[in-house]
Amino acid sequence: MTQPNEPSPSAAADKPEQKKISLGDAMKQRLAQKKQAASQGNGQHSGFSTDVKQMQSQIKKKPNNQKKRTGV
């Protein structure tokens, strides 16, 4: 009989051991993956767009009426 707590030898061979890496190395790897994905143009967007937006006139800005609201 085998012990139920011991993993089978085939299960240990399926998962490669992952070494612990430093945070800096992990960030460098992640950045390299992002750069590679961007160069391939696979269409994934991370929410931050670097597209150039059309300038808007500053006349459309709402006036700051914080002093009026707070009574200062």
Side-chain angles (χ1 to χ4, degrees):
M1 285 200 303
T2 60
Q3 295 290 337
N5 293 340
E6 293 179 14
S8 65
S10 63
D14 291 343
K15 276 191 170 181
E17 291 185 24
Q18 292 184 354
K19 294 181 181 178
K20 288 192 175 186
I21 57 173
S22 68
L23 182 61
D25 291 339
M27 294 303 288
K28 286 178 185 177
Q29 288 178 359
R30 184 72 178 144
L31 182 61
Q33 288 174 354
K34 283 185 178 181
K35 284 184 179 180
Q36 184 180 13
S39 67
Q40 290 175 353
N42 57 3
Q44 291 182 351
H45 297 287
S46 61
F48 180 74
S49 177
T50 56
D51 295 337
V52 177
K53 294 183 179 179
Q54 185 178 4
M55 292 287 289
Q56 292 183 352
S57 173
Q58 293 189 356
I59 297 172
K60 295 180 181 180
K61 283 188 173 180
K62 258 178 110 172
N64 185 1
N65 60 358
Q66 182 177 8
K67 288 182 181 178
K68 186 186 290 185
R69 286 185 281 131
T70 57
V72 174

